[in-house]
């Protein structure tokens, strides 16, 4: 394939934008190549500036569950634009989307809209701290909750008690308040909570970890967190920015039947426009300004274009058999890829929950960050480039989730499996 225009644009972009991209994962650094510049997208396909066509499994990193440019979403947004792009004042659209979210996710009694997943999680932990009067938070190694200071922390080697910042610029004093436990390991959580008795405000977790590849929760893990939080007066936050409306209309909490105190959302509820949301028990949410004292605000929060895209998207997700259909497509492609790897004598560890899946380049099971990090990332990088050249657009990292949309046809999925079979044979 000819990528010359993308190569040219990337050189230009690097002059004006740090690293040439507005979000680091877009740079394709971990797979040893340069990013494609995208011109447009439609259904399951995206097209780059050189005119190459790809079957897309990134879906803008999760939002595009309907595929790109669903005609109903596009036409609703187009007519919303005619009414004005932003007012900084309440609109009826915000009530509509809030009600839809509350109906979909029963643990959410009240909800506030923001403009990104990062803002949602950042605000949720502030509220949990305000509600409990405690400063510490607990997260899991390998779980990503956006890039706010308190959450940009994973396990420090050895001393598990105090977090170590993942990035320069995150003060050590902030990181100290973030405890890091091991995903799928309840004991690691119990130990930290016991060592920090009455100091932990919240446990924030991706109920299906989707930012270290796709790592499902083990039986009893989420239930154990629920029980521990109830006993210790800790606010349990499910970060469903990725899994919300993705694995079921009511998210992972519907799928597993475990009820958090608070939930963060993003990605799909914006239908491709910038939206995040956080919600939960009335008792907690009513502490938010202006009904309570915990401050949180946003010039573009509840933006009418974004609300419109969200409302139209959620309406379409309610159509009969939507999630069953998506489940079948996803099972087909994920198992097809795993089988292709096996046939080529290149075993992978395949994981999937609904339309989230991952091919881990590992012979061993992956259930936490350490087992994910043991994958053969060099082989993955080669696989990624082979797939790209075959017209399959995957996320440019071993530690990302692949997303199937309702727009992917059986033919698209067969092409993907055939490309994977060829790629595994040449690894
Ligand atoms: C994407 C993501 C975020 C961050 O959302 P942004 O909109 O990128 O700020 C937070 N949590 C999870 C689980 C995510 O997948």
């Amino acid at each position: 394939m000819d990528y010359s225009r993308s190569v040219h644009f990337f050189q230009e972009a690097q002059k004006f934008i740090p690293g040439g991209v507005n979000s680091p994962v877009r740079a394709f650094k971990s797979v040893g190549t340069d990013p494609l510049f995208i011109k447009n997208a439609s259904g399951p396909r995206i097209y780059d500036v050189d005119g190459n066509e790809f079957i897309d499994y990134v879906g803008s990193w999760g939002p595009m569950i309907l595929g790109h440019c669903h005609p109903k979403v596009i036409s609703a947004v187009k007519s919303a634009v005619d009414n004005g792009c932003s007012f900084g004042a309440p609109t009826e659209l915000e009530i509509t989307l809030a009600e839809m979210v509350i109906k979909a996710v029963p643990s959410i009694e009240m909800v506030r809209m923001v403009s990104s997943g990062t803002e949602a999680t950042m605000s949720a932990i502030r509220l949990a701290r305000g509600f409990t009067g405690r400063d510490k938070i607990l997260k899991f190694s390998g779980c990503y909750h956006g890039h706010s200071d308190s959450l940009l922390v994973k396990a420090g080697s050895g001393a598990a008690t105090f977090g170590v910042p993942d990035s320069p610029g995150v003060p050590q004093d902030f990181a100290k308040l973030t405890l890091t436990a091991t995903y799928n390991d309840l004991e690691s959580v119990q130990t930290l909570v016991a060592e920090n008795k009455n100091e932990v405000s919240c446990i924030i977790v991706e109920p299906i970890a989707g930012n270290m590849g796709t790592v499902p929760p083990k039986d009893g893990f989420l239930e154990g967190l629920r029980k521990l939080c109830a006993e210790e007066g800790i606010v349990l936050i499910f970060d469903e920015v990725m899994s919300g409306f993705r694995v079921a209309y009511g998210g992972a909490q519907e799928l597993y039947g475990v009820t958090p105190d608070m939930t963060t959302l993003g990605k799909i509820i914006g239908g491709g426009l910038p939206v995040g949301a956080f919600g939960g028990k009335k008792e907690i949410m009513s502490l938010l300004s202006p009904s309570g004292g915990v401050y949180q605000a946003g010039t573009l929060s509840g933006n009418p274009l974004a609300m419109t895209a969200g409302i139209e998207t959620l309406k379409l997700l309610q159509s009969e058999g939507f999630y069953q259909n998506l489940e079948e497509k996803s099972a087909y492609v994920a198992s097809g890829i795993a089988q292709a790897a096996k046939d080529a004598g290149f075993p992978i560890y395949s994981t999937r929950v609904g339309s989230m899946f991952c091919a881990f380049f590992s012979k061993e099971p992956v259930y936490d960050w350490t087992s994910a990090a043991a994958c053969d990332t060099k082989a993955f990088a080669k696989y990624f480039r082979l797939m790209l050249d075959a017209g399959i657009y995957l996320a440019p990292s071993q530690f990302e989730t692949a997303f199937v949309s309702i727009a992917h046809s059986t033919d698209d999925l067969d092409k993907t499996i055939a490309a994977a079979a060829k790629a595994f044979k040449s690894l």
Side-chain angles (χ1 to χ4, degrees):
M1 273 195 207
D2 177 15
Y3 300 122
S4 55
R5 282 177 70 81
S6 279
V7 169
H8 168 73
F9 280 139
F10 191 46
Q11 282 164 357
E12 287 297 297
Q14 284 170 289
K15 292 181 197 161
F16 309 115
I17 303 169
V21 290
N22 280 312
S23 192
V25 281
R26 294 181 196 168
F28 283 25
K29 256 188 157 169
S30 74
V31 287
T33 181
D34 288 345
L36 302 185
F37 279 65
I38 302 305
K39 183 138 189 237
N40 63 304
S42 173
R45 290 191 165 63
I46 58 167
Y47 302 86
D48 70 9
V49 289
D50 288 287
N52 301 310
E53 176 183 322
F54 303 90
I55 302 171
D56 181 21
Y57 290 92
V58 178
S60 187
W61 301 88
M64 311 318 294
I65 191 168
L66 299 170
H68 297 277
C69 290
H70 190 288
K72 287 207 167 131
V73 178
I74 296 300
S75 83
V77 172
K78 277 184 177 163
S79 41
V81 170
D82 288 336
N83 291 330
C85 288
S86 179
F87 316 119
T91 63
E92 191 180 351
L93 295 165
E94 292 161 81
I95 311 173
T96 307
L97 188 56
E99 273 194 308
M100 290 176 92
V101 168
I102 287 165
K103 264 204 181 136
V105 187
S107 71
I108 300 182
E109 295 171 358
M110 294 185 113
V111 64
R112 178 159 284 177
M113 298 294 165
V114 291
S115 299
S116 69
T118 294
E119 265 188 275
T121 55
M122 178 185 81
S123 309
I125 61 171
R126 180 181 304 140
L127 189 52
R129 283 168 159 160
F131 177 72
T132 56
R134 302 172 179 177
D135 285 343
K136 288 182 182 167
I137 65 169
L138 188 149
K139 75 177 283 291
F140 294 89
S141 186
C143 279
Y144 178 68
H145 305 291
H147 63 86
S148 72
D149 284 342
S150 299
L151 292 165
L152 213 52
V153 175
K154 61 183 174 198
S157 56
T161 311
F162 295 118
V164 172
D166 266 355
S167 159
V170 175
Q172 182 66 50
D173 283 352
F174 286 12
K176 269 187 195 159
L177 297 175
T178 303
L179 311 172
T180 312
T182 304
Y183 198 77
N184 272 327
D185 179 356
L186 266 182
E187 230 179 88
S188 73
V189 185
Q190 285 155 348
T191 305
L192 284 171
V193 168
E195 285 170 4
N196 297 273
K197 189 85 185 155
N198 298 327
E199 291 185 286
V200 180
S201 61
C202 63
I203 293 179
I204 184 166
V205 65
E206 288 180 77
I208 299 157
N211 287 285
M212 49 173 152
T214 309
V215 179
K218 285 186 178 166
D219 279 351
F221 176 60
L222 299 175
E223 291 84 350
L225 295 179
R226 177 62 280 176
K227 187 162 171 281
L228 183 67
C229 285
E231 287 165 1
E232 299 288 335
I234 296 170
V235 176
L236 179 60
I237 306 173
F238 276 7
D239 181 357
E240 298 227 42
V241 169
M242 184 185 290
S243 58
F245 297 99
R246 167 60 66 180
V247 296
Y249 191 64
Q253 53 195 278
E254 177 188 316
L255 194 65
Y256 297 113
V258 179
T259 306
D261 302 304
M262 293 185 71
T263 301
T264 54
L265 294 166
K267 297 192 170 118
I268 288 173
I269 54 160
L273 273 81
V275 181
F278 63 105
K281 290 185 174 154
K282 220 172 240 175
E283 166 190 24
I284 301 175
M285 291 304 290
S286 47
L287 290 186
L288 260 190
S289 184
S291 53
V294 177
Y295 198 71
Q296 188 280 328
T299 302
L300 294 173
S301 294
N303 174 269
L305 307 186
M307 294 298 100
T308 301
I311 292 164
E312 289 310 310
T313 300
L314 265 47
K315 274 188 200 159
L316 289 157
L317 297 181
Q318 292 173 33
S319 69
E320 185 67 30
F322 181 92
Y323 286 94
Q324 186 54 36
N325 190 356
L326 191 59
E327 166 74 19
E328 282 158 18
K329 288 174 192 282
S330 308
Y332 184 78
V333 69
S335 64
I337 290 171
Q339 188 63 44
K342 208 171 166 196
D343 293 346
F346 196 99
I348 56 166
Y349 186 73
S350 175
T351 59
R352 182 182 71 83
V353 181
S355 54
M356 297 167 61
F357 73 95
C358 183
F360 284 109
F361 280 53
S362 167
K363 290 189 186 105
E364 306 300 328
V366 174
Y367 48 84
D368 64 6
W369 172 243
T370 306
S371 49
C375 286
D376 184 349
T377 52
K378 278 213 177 94
F380 174 83
K382 200 171 163 204
Y383 171 73
F384 169 87
R385 295 191 301 262
L386 289 165
M387 290 295 270
L388 194 68
D389 284 337
I392 312 295
Y393 190 80
L394 302 173
S397 162
Q398 170 71 89
F399 308 116
E400 300 291 352
T401 286
F403 298 104
V404 183
S405 84
I406 203 73
H408 286 78
S409 69
T410 307
D411 185 48
D412 296 326
L413 304 177
D414 282 333
K415 277 185 187 146
T416 306
I417 295 166
K422 215 171 145 200
F424 283 122
K425 272 181 204 140
S426 60
L427 281 178

